[in-house]
Amino acid sequence: LARVLGECTALRQLDLSHNQLGAEGAGSVARVVRQSTTLQQIRLSNTDLGAAGMRQLATGLRLSRSVRHLDVWGNRLGVEGARELAKGLAEA
């Protein structure tokens, strides 16, 4: 899925909410975020990201210049995951 989404040059919104992505899935989403120049909205509510998944996603966000909206509601990020998110957003 990440490979196909990465090749989609018109992708503006990605909603994978309510799927059990976990850290591995977050890594795939991060690759899409890094590759895309058009992706503006990402919805990942209730995807079981956790701190490890947020770390993966934050890596992609650091390199993204197009993402403007991120929804990670309902994920148990904890303090560590929130820190990773804050670092990723601050460096974006």
Side-chain angles (χ1 to χ4, degrees), residues 9-47:
T9 59
L11 184 66
R12 292 181 181 265
Q13 298 181 28
L14 178 62
D15 188 347
L16 296 173
S17 298
H18 307 286
N19 287 284
Q20 297 301 305
L21 299 178
E24 184 177 341
S28 296
V29 172
R31 284 191 292 281
V32 171
V33 171
R34 284 193 303 264
Q35 294 172 356
S36 178
T37 59
T38 59
L39 184 59
Q40 297 175 357
Q41 295 184 18
I42 305 170
R43 292 184 181 93
L44 300 172
S45 63
N46 296 303
T47 52

Side-chain angles (χ1 to χ4, degrees), residues 33 38-42 61 64-70:
V33 171
T38 59
L39 184 59
Q40 297 175 357
Q41 295 184 18
I42 305 170
L61 290 171
S64 173
R65 296 294 174 239
S66 62
V67 174
R68 299 291 175 247
H69 176 87
L70 174 66

Side-chain angles (χ1 to χ4, degrees), residues 40-86:
Q40 297 175 357
Q41 295 184 18
I42 305 170
R43 292 184 181 93
L44 300 172
S45 63
N46 296 303
T47 52
D48 195 32
L49 294 179
M54 197 67 254
R55 187 177 309 110
Q56 294 284 335
L57 187 57
T59 300
L61 290 171
R62 284 183 188 103
L63 301 174
S64 173
R65 296 294 174 239
S66 62
V67 174
R68 299 291 175 247
H69 176 87
L70 174 66
D71 177 3
V72 293
W73 182 85
N75 287 285
R76 294 183 178 129
L77 303 180
V79 173
E80 183 183 347
R83 283 187 185 133
E84 292 295 335
L85 174 59

